Amino acid sequence: MPTAENYTPGYTQSASDFMARRSAQTHAAFLLPHLRSSSRLLDCGCGPGSVTCDFARLLPSGQVVGVDRETSQVERARSHAAGLRLTNVKFEVGSIYELPFPDASFDIVFAHAVFEHLASPAVALAEVSRVLVPGGLVALRSPDWGGFIVAPDTPGLQSALRRYIAIQTANGGDVHVGRKFPGLLRASGFASPSFSATYECYPSPPLIGEYLALRLVSAGALAEAEALREWSRHPDAIFAQAWCEILGNRNA
Ligand SMILES: C[S@@+](CC[C@H](N)C(=O)[O-])C[C@H]1O[C@@H](n2cnc3c(N)ncnc32)[C@H](O)[C@@H]1O
């Protein structure tokens, strides 16, 4: 069983809205060349489902399933899919540690912005492997805080970022999981790993600044939250987030 973990971002409307701006084109480009129109794809930790629904549009004769441990996110994702009149996607509540699907149900398993919150990534990968067909594709994407470029270095910025990292680590997460993807896949028996990394540059620093600041406020780190907000209002503020990506095949 996994070690105890808490999901750092929480499920406020603003946190969920922050995720819902994502699309398959902007956040899963590394996987798009590997989609086949009839693929059966599972999106683990699908959140509000914006990326999941994009996959459904891209796989007109395929089947897409989103799973998330949080009911409010699954309900939001269902309502998003209904609004788009998609008929080849469904959403279910469930944990990546105990996926509610039979063995060998999917050709592709995707997890975006999930593994950095997991205390037991190897346990999760074993479960991902179980639901993949032999030869099936796993696709993971997570940030690695060691690669972020955040400037200018305003007063309190570095201690605010360090505090955020400490909170996520105390919650059982790993802000450096991205660089560990190759080793994790190898240890879990996946073949042909292909690692890449990309940057997401936030066009509006207050968007990411406020997202992180609200997490700091929830943890009682008020001075650090204010330092982040002050940084985000600086006219030269930039936040470039490093995302690590990996593809690998379940051994046949
Ligand atoms: C940062 S959000 C990302 C949502 C979506 N994948 C995206 O990128 O827009 C992470 C999601 O993973 C879910 N999650 C975290 N731990 C999980 C677990 N053990 N099993 C299933 N879902 C989990 C959370 O509930 C949350 O909705």
Side-chain angles (χ1 to χ4, degrees):
M1 285 303 290
T3 321
E5 72 190 30
N6 286 313
Y7 173 61
T8 305
Y11 300 105
T12 58
Q13 181 74 30
S14 69
S16 186
D17 289 349
F18 182 83
M19 313 296 168
R21 32 176 284 288
R22 295 174 176 162
S23 69
Q25 289 74 16
T26 58
H27 286 74
F30 73 115
L31 174 59
L32 299 187
H34 302 274
L35 301 182
R36 302 289 169 262
S37 63
S38 61
S39 296
R40 293 164 298 167
L41 184 149
L42 174 66
D43 185 359
C44 283
C46 62
S50 58
V51 179
T52 329
C53 286
D54 267 349
F55 284 133
R57 280 191 287 224
L58 293 165
L59 299 171
S61 46
Q63 291 294 325
V64 176
V65 179
V67 68
D68 200 286
R69 71 175 196 180
E70 169 64 24
T71 306
S72 66
Q73 298 307 289
V74 169
E75 285 170 354
R76 179 170 177 167
R78 282 181 182 148
S79 141
H80 183 53
L84 296 171
R85 293 186 159 73
L86 293 169
T87 55
N88 61 336
V89 62
K90 63 178 183 172
F91 293 92
E92 294 187 21
V93 175
S95 167
I96 196 169
Y97 295 120
E98 231 173 321
L99 292 167
F101 311 106
D103 295 358
S105 302
F106 297 98
D107 304 303
I108 301 172
V109 176
F110 174 69
H112 188 272
V114 176
F115 270 68
E116 69 271 28
H117 302 296
L118 301 182
S120 305
V123 178
L125 267 179
E127 187 63 350
V128 164
S129 178
R130 181 186 69 75
V131 301
L132 272 173
V133 295
L137 188 67
V138 66
L140 309 179
R141 190 169 190 249
S142 282
D144 189 307
W145 284 67
F148 288 13
I149 302 172
V150 187
D153 196 10
T154 52
L157 173 67
Q158 294 306 328
S159 63
L161 295 176
R162 277 197 301 274
R163 184 69 186 269
Y164 192 97
I165 289 170
I167 293 167
Q168 188 158 319
T169 305
N171 281 339
D174 180 352
V175 298
H176 298 124
V177 76
R179 70 187 64 186
K180 298 174 187 167
F181 279 164
L184 278 167
L185 257 63
R186 187 169 46 76
S188 299
F190 286 90
S192 313
S194 168
F195 181 87
S196 53
T198 47
Y199 270 104
E200 176 175 12
C201 298
Y202 287 87
S204 161
L207 175 71
I208 181 74
E210 189 58 20
Y211 170 79
L212 297 174
L214 287 173
R215 309 285 85 70
L216 289 168
V217 168
S218 307
L222 302 186
E224 287 88 344
E226 198 38 52
L228 259 181
R229 288 179 171 133
E230 201 175 314
W231 158 81
S232 76
R233 290 191 291 265
H234 193 287
D236 304 328
I238 56 160
F239 194 112
Q241 180 174 12
W243 288 94
C244 294
E245 308 154 342
I246 198 159
L247 297 164
N249 293 103
R250 184 192 151 174
N251 277 322

